């Protein structure tokens, strides 16, 4: 199958060694923008111009919601981390789709990250309704079951509930199309849960896993130890990368993995890819290093590939295993 080349502009010409096959599309870089930045699909094209290979929009919910009370974001400057307890604040799916419809995005690779409303009584119905609405509107869809800031959301990691969710999702989608479905998981799970997720992802033919969302752990932080919410940035890197390696082994490399959590350099991205990620995502690094960090990571990755004798980044995926 011929790959569709995406012609969006980037001020720096990137080496061909960074190009990635993403479900039939050719990405010029494996580095993507994580969900949470562009919650309402308002800046997809501008963000691609910073050097990202793809953009993940959302998390979007069926109905608009304000999220949790402020203050709800805390910078941990010494740790280069952030604690947030935003709670899926967004303008709702109707506004979200209007933004997509009015912006020409045929040449952009982007995903839609969906979640449940905090007041929902049936969280599985929220996902089923949303996936019917957004299916075919993007290059991929992410089921976000892992934010720590929405009550009971992480219960969907339990085997019975996750099985019911994935079964319902599979029944609801239009099989005449082929839109990849990706599951975004928590880093705060035990070994049995990891194995269960891998088993169910394979059983229900989920196309990918994003590893991982933010953590509720507070190990060795310099400040804000008592603030609730999800911790991102450098303090998350080790935990999320270890989970990434576990999920690569449990899925036997059969499912695409997106490495997310604590990336701020090419070396960080390279470690994620060696652990099993085909793609990586970042967000918190933009806060501490600005948008120029994206192409810095791209060029550092290209140099690491060259140094180690690989011709393309895809050859690095899971190589430590």
């Amino acid at each position: 199958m011929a790959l569709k080349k995406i012609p969006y502009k980037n001020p720096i010409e990137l080496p061909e060694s960074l190009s990635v096959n993403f479900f039939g599309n050719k990405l010029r870089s494996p580095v993507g923008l994580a969900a949470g930045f562009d919650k309402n699909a308002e800046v997809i094209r501008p963000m691609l111009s910073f050097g990202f290979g793809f953009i993940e929009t959302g998390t979007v919910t069926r109905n608009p919601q304000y999220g949790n009370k402020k203050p709800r974001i805390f910078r941990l400057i010494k740790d280069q981390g952030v604690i947030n307890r935003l709670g899926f604040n967004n303008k709702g799916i109707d506004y979200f789709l209007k933004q997509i419809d009015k912006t020409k995005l045929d040449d952009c690779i982007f995903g839609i990250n969906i979640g449940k409303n905090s007041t929902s009584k049936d969280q599985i119905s929220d996902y089923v309704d949303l996936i019917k609405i957004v299916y075919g509107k993007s290059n991929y869809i992410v089921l976000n079951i892992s934010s720590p800031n929405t009550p009971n959301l992480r219960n969907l990691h339990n085997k019975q509930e996750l099985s019911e969710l994935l079964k319902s999702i599979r029944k609801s989608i239009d099989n005449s199309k082929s839109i990849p479905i990706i599951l975004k998981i928590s880093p705060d799970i035990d070994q049995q849960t990891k194995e269960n997720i891998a088993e169910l992802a394979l059983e229900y033919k989920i196309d990918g896993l994003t590893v991982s969302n933010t953590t509720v752990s507070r190990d060795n932080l310099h400040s804000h130890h008592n603030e609730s919410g999800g911790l991102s940035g450098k303090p998350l890197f080790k935990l999320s990368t270890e989970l990434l390696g576990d999920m690569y082994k449990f899925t036997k490399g059969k499912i695409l993995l997106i490495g997310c959590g604590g990336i701020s350099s090419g070396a960080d991205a390279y470690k994620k890819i060696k652990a099993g990620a085909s793609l990586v995502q970042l967000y918190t690094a933009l806060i501490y290093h600005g948008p120029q960090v994206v192409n810095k990571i791209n060029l550092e990755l290209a140099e690491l590939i060259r140094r180690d004798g690989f011709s393309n980044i895809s050859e690095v995926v899971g190589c430590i295993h």
Side-chain angles (χ1 to χ4, degrees), residues 252-290:
K252 303 177 177 63
K254 295 179 179 179
I255 292 177
L256 178 136
L257 301 181
I258 300 177
C260 185
I263 295 171
S264 60
S265 68
D268 294 337
Y270 202 55
K271 286 178 183 176
K272 296 273 191 191
I273 295 166
K274 288 170 74 176
S278 294
L279 305 171
V280 295
Q281 291 177 322
L282 59 88
Y283 178 175
T284 303
L286 294 173
I287 296 169
Y288 290 103
H289 303 285

Side-chain angles (χ1 to χ4, degrees), residues 151-169:
N152 304 316
L153 183 68
R154 286 187 169 187
N155 291 346
L156 288 170
H157 286 68
N158 298 336
K159 188 172 184 180
Q160 184 173 344
E161 292 188 50
L162 182 56
S163 178
E164 185 181 345
L165 172 65
L166 298 183
K167 185 188 299 181
S168 299
I169 292 294

Side-chain angles (χ1 to χ4, degrees), residues 178-303:
S178 182
I179 309 298
I181 306 295
I182 293 172
L183 189 68
K184 187 167 186 175
I185 64 173
S186 164
D188 306 316
I189 54 177
D190 60 26
Q191 199 74 358
Q192 187 59 58
T193 303
K194 296 175 191 178
E195 294 181 27
N196 292 342
I197 290 171
E199 176 189 332
L200 292 172
L202 290 167
E203 179 182 349
Y204 289 104
K205 298 180 180 178
I206 295 302
D207 299 283
L209 298 173
T210 300
V211 187
S212 67
N213 212 315
T214 56
T215 180
V216 296
S217 67
R218 297 289 186 266
D219 296 337
N220 304 314
L221 295 181
H222 289 90
S223 62
H224 296 298
H225 308 84
N226 298 321
E227 295 292 351
S228 63
L231 171 65
S232 63
K234 277 190 174 296
L236 176 60
F237 181 81
K238 185 174 184 291
L239 179 63
S240 61
T241 307
E242 288 174 353
L243 175 59
L244 180 66
D246 288 343
M247 298 313 295
Y248 184 83
K249 287 183 281 188
F250 289 142
T251 58
K252 303 177 177 63
K254 295 179 179 179
I255 292 177
L256 178 136
L257 301 181
I258 300 177
C260 185
I263 295 171
S264 60
S265 68
D268 294 337
Y270 202 55
K271 286 178 183 176
K272 296 273 191 191
I273 295 166
K274 288 170 74 176
S278 294
L279 305 171
V280 295
Q281 291 177 322
L282 59 88
Y283 178 175
T284 303
L286 294 173
I287 296 169
Y288 290 103
H289 303 285
Q292 63 270 21
V293 74
V294 183
N295 274 326
K296 180 174 178 290
I297 290 172
N298 282 328
L299 297 178
E300 288 172 354
L301 262 181
E303 176 55 27

Side-chain angles (χ1 to χ4, degrees), residues 85-104:
R85 50 173 181 261
L86 290 167
F88 288 169
N89 56 309
N90 72 103
K91 297 178 182 178
I93 193 61
D94 293 339
Y95 176 88
F96 184 99
L97 292 181
K98 284 178 183 176
Q99 298 309 301
I100 289 177
D101 290 341
K102 77 177 187 180
T103 308
K104 190 176 183 300

